[in-house]
Amino acid sequence: MNDSILVTGASGCIGGWVVKNLVEQGRRVVAFDLFPENLKKLLLIMSEADLAKVEVVPGDVSALDDVRRAFAAGVDQVIHLAALQLPFCKADPVKGALVNVVGTQNVFQAAKEAGLEKVVYSSSTAVYGSADEYPDATFGHWSPLLPKSFYGAYKQDNEICAKVWHADEGVASIGIRPFVVYGPLRDQGMTSTPTSAIKAAVRAQAYEISYGGAAEFQYADDTAKAFIAAADARASGAACYNLGGGTVTMERIVAAIEAACPQARGKITFVDQPLPFPRHNDTGELEKAVGRLKWTPLEEGVAQSAEMFKRL
C-alpha cells in the first residue's frame, strides 16, 4: 500500500472524495490545486479535523516547475485529476489543451523524475463518439475512440501519450474513464445537473435537469474508491478502463430524488432529450485489473447526497 499520495485537482468532485477516503484510511495526502482556498468545499463531505491533516501545495498543473514542487513533497504515488471540464475546453481550447494535455504530460514527467513507477489519471468516456457510430448504439472496452469535443480529444491524446510514456520511459499508468458522476462537490460540467437537482430538492425548489434518457451514473464516493484501488494495484502497462456502475433512466433518478426529498415531489423535471452518447456495455475490465469495486445503489447514493446537502 502506498502511504503517501499526491492528488492533483484536489478541490474538484472526484479529487475531493479521493482526499476524504485517503485521510479516513490514515494515509498521508498531498493536495495540489490551483485554488487551494477551494479546498474549503471539502467540509461538505469531511470534518475540519480531517481536512487539517491534508498537506496543501498550491500550483498550476500546466507549469512543470509547480508540478515538480508538488512531487518534491515526497510521495509514493500520484492520482492525477486536475482538468478543465468540457464546457471550459469548448470556450477556450488553447487553455483547455494547456491544462488537460500539457498538464498531464507534466505529471508524467515529474513522476518519472521522482522515481515513481506508475501514474493513475482520469480520462473520460468523452473519448467515444456518438451513438450512431457504434453497433446497437453501444460501446465497450474495446470500442474505437471517436471524440466529438476538444475535451474528449484531449483525453484521448493523454491515453495515447500514456502508452508512449510506458514504451519509451518505463512509466506505467492506469487511466479510468468515468461517465456521469453525481453527488456532493459535483458542481461543474455538462452532466452535473442531476446533482444540482438534489440540492434544489433539499430546499423544496423546482429544478429542471438539462437532459433525459438513460446513462451510466456513478456515485462520487464509488468513483474515488476506484481511483484509489487503481493507485494500490500493480500496473505493468498503460491501459485505460471504462468505469462501470450501471445504466439508469432519468425517470429513476427523479424518483430517487423525490423519495429522499418528499418536500420536492413534483418539482423536479427533466428535458426529454438523451445525452448524445452510446450506452455502455460494462464487461468488468477495470475490476479485472484493480480488484472488486464498490457500487452504491442509485437510491442510496441520492439519499446520502441529500443528507449531506441538508446538513448545510
Side-chain angles (χ1 to χ4, degrees):
M1 178 179 290
N2 300 300
D3 291 323
S4 182
I5 300 184
L6 171 65
V7 182
T8 75
S11 70
C13 176
I14 300 174
W17 282 91
V18 167
V19 168
K20 167 186 165 65
N21 276 276
L22 289 173
V23 170
E24 290 177 349
Q25 292 175 10
R27 299 161 84 166
R28 175 175 174 250
V29 180
V30 177
F32 180 74
D33 203 278
L34 180 60
F35 302 106
E37 62 274 14
N38 287 348
L39 289 168
K40 292 180 180 179
K41 295 191 301 182
L42 274 58
L43 293 174
L44 176 61
I45 62 172
M46 59 192 299
S47 69
E48 287 192 31
D50 278 350
L51 185 57
K53 298 175 184 177
V54 178
E55 300 175 34
V56 181
V57 177
D60 184 348
V61 73
S62 66
L64 179 56
D65 285 345
D66 284 6
V67 179
R68 284 172 169 152
R69 183 161 41 83
F71 278 86
V75 294
D76 305 308
Q77 189 55 276
V78 57
I79 298 177
H80 172 48
L81 302 166
L84 291 179
Q85 295 291 326
L86 190 151
F88 303 104
C89 292
K90 182 176 181 179
D92 192 339
V94 174
K95 184 175 181 180
L98 286 171
V99 174
N100 290 11
V101 180
V102 174
T104 300
Q105 305 318 303
N106 287 342
V107 169
F108 272 87
Q109 178 67 34
K112 176 197 169 187
E113 294 173 356
L116 272 63
E117 297 180 352
K118 179 183 64 181
V119 171
V120 173
Y121 69 97
S122 176
S123 185
S124 170
T125 50
V127 297
Y128 293 103
S130 55
D132 59 5
E133 294 179 289
Y134 298 94
D136 300 321
T138 301
F139 75 94
H141 179 71
W142 305 108
S143 298
L145 308 185
L146 303 166
K148 295 294 183 290
S149 64
F150 285 118
Y151 176 77
Y154 300 153
K155 292 295 188 178
Q156 181 184 17
D157 183 78
N158 289 337
E159 293 186 23
I160 295 170
C161 288
K163 295 181 184 298
V164 179
W165 276 103
H166 179 250
D168 286 5
E169 305 292 342
V171 181
S173 61
I174 296 178
I176 298 178
R177 305 181 189 113
F179 204 116
V180 180
V181 177
Y182 75 94
L185 300 183
R186 181 70 205 279
D187 55 8
Q188 293 184 357
M190 67 176 292
T191 59
S192 63
T193 51
T195 299
S196 298
I198 301 172
K199 192 183 302 184
V202 167
R203 302 190 182 104
Q205 295 175 344
Y207 190 89
E208 183 178 65
I209 298 170
S210 60
Y211 57 94
E216 191 131 33
F217 277 73
Q218 294 131 353
Y219 188 35
D221 189 32
D222 297 345
T223 304
K225 286 180 169 65
F227 277 93
I228 294 170
D232 291 337
R234 291 185 177 182
S236 57
C240 194
Y241 304 95
N242 300 326
L243 186 64
T247 297
V248 296
T249 65
M250 193 58 70
E251 287 86 356
R252 181 177 167 189
I253 292 168
V254 171
I257 294 173
E258 291 181 342
C261 306
Q263 67 274 21
R265 193 171 300 278
K267 296 183 177 181
I268 305 301
T269 59
F270 62 89
V271 176
D272 193 16
Q273 176 67 40
L275 294 168
F277 307 127
R279 298 185 307 275
H280 180 215
N281 176 28
D282 182 19
T283 55
E285 301 303 319
L286 176 59
E287 292 191 79
K288 293 175 187 176
V290 307
R292 189 171 182 177
L293 299 174
K294 175 191 175 186
W295 303 111
T296 301
L298 176 77
E299 289 74 14
E300 184 178 335
V302 169
Q304 289 179 14
S305 300
E307 284 303 313
M308 293 181 197
F309 287 132
K310 287 176 185 177
R311 288 201 295 268
L312 291 177

